[in-house]
Amino acid sequence: MADKEAESDSAEATRHLHVTVLLVASRRALDMALGELGFAEDDDRVIEHDGRLAFVTCTHEPDCDDLFALISELSQRGESWELQSRIDTAADRVIYQSLARHRPVDAIDAPIDEEAEPETNEAPAHNVETSEGVQALKRALRRIEPADAFATIRPDRDGRATARILRRGSRRLLALASAADEATLRGVIREILPNVMLDVAMKPPG
């Protein structure tokens, strides 16, 4: 019994956490770095963030090679850039971390913003890992122009990822989508709405 308890404690002490990392830079700087390194124009890892561009990677991506290549290119050009991280430590808590030149590294342990959770009266999310879910999402967005919408993506409390596709300006909910990871969601949404503005939840409440 003691051995089993010890194994359980050890597993809990070394559990893996979900991490999302953004490399944030000015639109001009990141566009130039992406072009120099030969990234595709429609790479779904490039998103809008706080009026700038960002390159996103997370625990579900196979590696961070592209992220480091971009950091190296931006650094060689003398550009300013920032790393923002979101570490989901529990179902209701998250650590936000920021690393940038000319200021100290910063981290905030905060509760998950309840306002970002889907409302209970919202329609169920379309599971885009199924053909039925993809087709249902396409029907929901069939009359929407990419410039008229944006999507916010965040890890869900059950370990999956959820996207809320909203109309720009009014922020009216157009559709909900879910998948096992953010990369799958980004790919499907960009396939339906090419070049739609994407963002991820990276800010502490308040």
Side-chain angles (χ1 to χ4, degrees):
M1 179 66 72
D3 289 342
K4 289 184 178 180
E5 290 179 354
E7 289 177 2
S8 177
D9 290 344
S10 177
E12 177 66 20
T14 59
R15 65 192 177 95
H16 288 276
L17 301 174
H18 183 272
V19 183
T20 303
V21 179
L22 294 187
L23 170 61
V24 186
S26 71
R27 182 178 297 275
R28 175 196 57 79
L30 195 55
D31 270 340
M32 291 181 65
L34 290 163
E36 181 66 25
L37 294 174
F39 282 79
E41 290 186 6
D42 59 351
D43 193 312
D44 60 49
R45 295 170 296 178
V46 180
I47 66 172
E48 298 273 352
H49 188 67
D50 287 347
R52 297 182 289 173
L53 281 188
F55 182 85
V56 60
T57 189
C58 73
T59 307
H60 294 104
E61 300 286 353
D63 58 50
C64 294
D65 283 357
D66 288 344
L67 179 75
F68 280 101
L70 284 167
I71 290 174
S72 178
E73 181 67 24
L74 288 167
S75 297
Q76 288 179 12
R77 292 173 175 272
E79 302 285 1
S80 296
W81 49 270
E82 178 183 359
L83 285 177
Q84 295 181 12
S85 301
R86 171 187 168 130
I87 306 170
D88 292 88
T89 58
D92 59 351
R93 294 201 70 83
V94 62
I95 292 175
Y96 301 92
Q97 186 176 35
S98 174
L99 175 65
R101 295 178 64 189
H102 309 307
R103 70 170 188 253
V105 64
D106 185 37
I108 297 174
D109 183 4
I112 289 177
D113 187 355
E114 292 294 337
E115 292 182 359
E117 292 292 319
E119 298 292 339
T120 55
N121 61 350
E122 289 178 356
H126 303 297
N127 181 358
V128 298
E129 294 174 294
T130 67
S131 58
E132 294 84 359
V134 172
Q135 292 305 314
L137 184 61
K138 286 181 177 179
R139 287 193 297 272
L141 301 175
R142 66 184 180 277
R143 296 179 181 174
I144 303 300
E145 293 294 328
D148 295 334
F150 69 98
T152 60
I153 300 174
R154 62 170 293 164
D156 213 347
R157 293 191 175 188
D158 60 3
R160 293 172 60 80
T162 298
R164 303 182 75 195
I165 300 96
L166 307 168
R167 185 176 290 281
R168 297 188 70 173
S170 68
R171 297 184 66 88
R172 181 173 67 85
L173 181 70
L174 300 172
L176 281 172
S178 71
D181 57 79
E182 296 94 319
T184 299
L185 276 176
R186 295 196 308 267
V188 171
I189 293 171
R190 280 273 174 85
E191 181 180 347
I192 298 172
L193 298 174
N195 302 316
V196 69
M197 184 175 72
L198 299 177
D199 202 354
V200 295
M202 297 291 288
K203 285 185 176 181

